[in-house]
Amino acid sequence: MSTFIFRTILVFFAACHMACVNAADTYPNKPIKLVVPYPAAGGTDSLARPLAQQLTNRLGQTVVVDNRGGAGGSIGMEYVARSPGDGYTLLLALTPQLAVNGALYEKIPYDPIKSFTPISLIAEAPYLLLVNPSLPVNSLKEFLALAKAEGGKLTYATSGSGSGGHMAAELLISMTGIPMTHVPYKGGGPALSDVLAGHVKVLFAPAVSSMQHIQAGRLRAIAITGNKRLSSLPSVPTIAEAGVPGYDSTVWYAVLAPPNTPRDIVNRINLELLQTLKDPVFNSMMAANGIEPLGTSPEALNNYISKEMIKWSKVVKSAGLKPD
């Protein structure tokens, strides 16, 4: 009897193994969701939708962008964290969700490391320090002097507390000591509209949403938050080279999956992502939006998230930031 039970157990595990192998071999055999933890038509879609189209072409199955915004991105993050780890739900998350929210909010419904399976770091993009043309500054030096003279009366707009723009501003404040007052909005669109109207004078925003207004003279670009200039704005210096050595703040994008996603599936998606990031047409499209394609192993992404969590938690704590 014991021999029969032993053989039955062996057959069971062999069947499970073959099922896993077959699942990996046939993946994907149905549409895939790429969850974006922001509302539709936002700046993140400028990367998410071309990326989804590339994966559609490479995987042979439709990859649909599924926008699930709200609660600083926590709604979309929790949805993916609770989804089956079968490769049919993927996540495009950014710096705020993976490296900031844990320090900013008292409690979030996911763990940036434990709740997901890392696949690849995808890209990074700087923010621009922008001003309404009515503000009498043309350089970072003049901007810092004005902010200091205003004694905290100078206001700056971002797409919300804990957003990439908010963190870029707070890093500048912590490194220079200038006083400014944060005006958070529920999204980049409303923030941009109020700065264009002159209700708020300063904006930290990505190039993709502001370039047309810079070119039309409705916004003035003072500096770039990343560590190199943008090809689309070659005359605009980085904050580091304009007078704040060591300053570097970008928003980065990463693709992850639910926990316990099989390694074979993770490897397949990682391979297709890395091939996509080498595509010259895709690269050109990203460069036009001020986004630099990257690409890493799952392990490198995991380590990167851990280091970024440490970096931004220090900024959040030193500035005494609280969610609005």
Side-chain angles (χ1 to χ4, degrees):
M1 188 67 178
S2 60
T3 302
F4 174 77
I5 294 174
F6 179 71
R7 289 177 176 174
T8 301
I9 292 173
L10 285 179
V11 170
F12 172 77
F13 279 109
C16 289
H17 173 73
M18 289 305 298
C20 292
V21 170
N22 290 337
D25 287 346
T26 60
Y27 175 85
N29 56 26
K30 63 181 181 179
I32 300 167
K33 286 189 292 188
L34 178 62
V35 175
V36 174
Y38 289 99
T44 307
D45 276 7
S46 64
L47 174 60
R49 297 193 181 279
L51 186 65
Q53 184 57 57
Q54 284 279 341
L55 288 176
T56 294
N57 297 340
R58 293 178 181 278
L59 291 170
Q61 288 288 341
T62 302
V63 179
V64 180
V65 174
D66 183 2
N67 294 91
R68 292 178 180 263
S74 288
I75 291 176
M77 299 294 285
E78 183 180 16
Y79 173 80
V80 175
R82 295 179 179 276
S83 295
D86 56 8
Y88 293 97
T89 300
L90 302 177
L91 169 69
L92 179 64
L94 282 67
T95 315
Q97 294 83 50
L98 292 170
V100 177
N101 284 359
L104 182 64
Y105 295 92
E106 185 174 335
K107 186 178 181 180
I108 56 175
Y110 62 91
D111 183 293
I113 299 295
K114 297 177 182 178
S115 297
F116 307 100
T117 301
I119 298 179
S120 178
L121 187 64
I122 297 298
E124 67 176 351
Y127 278 74
L128 300 179
L129 167 52
L130 304 161
V131 300
N132 184 285
S134 65
L135 201 69
V137 298
N138 291 285
S139 68
L140 182 66
K141 183 178 179 180
E142 293 176 352
F143 176 83
L144 296 177
L146 178 64
K148 186 175 181 180
E150 289 284 319
K153 295 180 181 178
L154 187 63
T155 55
Y156 72 93
T158 73
S159 60
S161 293
S163 65
H166 185 202
M167 292 296 100
E170 290 296 341
L171 184 61
L172 180 62
I173 291 169
S174 70
M175 293 181 70
T176 61
I178 60 169
M180 285 197 297
T181 300
H182 183 213
V183 182
Y185 287 80
K186 292 183 178 179
L192 176 62
S193 294
D194 263 16
V195 174
L196 289 171
H199 303 310
V200 182
K201 300 297 184 180
V202 182
L203 174 69
F204 285 79
V208 63
S209 62
S210 54
M211 190 65 72
Q212 61 177 323
H213 301 294
I214 296 169
Q215 294 169 343
R218 293 188 291 268
L219 289 174
R220 182 181 300 136
I222 299 298
I224 294 164
T225 67
N227 60 11
K228 56 183 151 182
R229 299 191 184 199
L230 295 178
S231 59
S232 52
L233 292 170
S235 63
V236 180
T238 68
I239 288 177
E241 66 181 334
V244 188
Y247 180 97
D248 182 17
S249 178
T250 60
V251 62
W252 42 266
Y253 307 76
V255 171
L256 306 96
N260 302 316
T261 299
R263 184 67 193 216
D264 286 349
I265 291 177
V266 169
N267 288 345
R268 172 73 191 282
I269 299 169
N270 178 269
L271 174 64
E272 303 302 347
L273 287 172
L274 295 182
Q275 291 301 315
T276 292
L277 296 172
K278 294 177 183 177
D279 183 86
V281 175
F282 182 82
N283 282 357
S284 177
M285 187 184 304
M286 294 301 99
N289 289 324
I291 301 172
E292 180 182 2
L294 298 175
T296 64
S297 68
E299 291 75 20
L301 171 57
N302 208 52
N303 293 335
Y304 187 78
I305 293 172
S306 296
K307 288 190 291 185
E308 286 285 290
M309 288 172 67
I310 295 171
K311 172 184 176 179
W312 291 113
S313 65
K314 290 179 179 178
V315 174
V316 170
K317 291 175 183 177
S318 65
L321 302 182
K322 301 292 181 182
D324 294 286

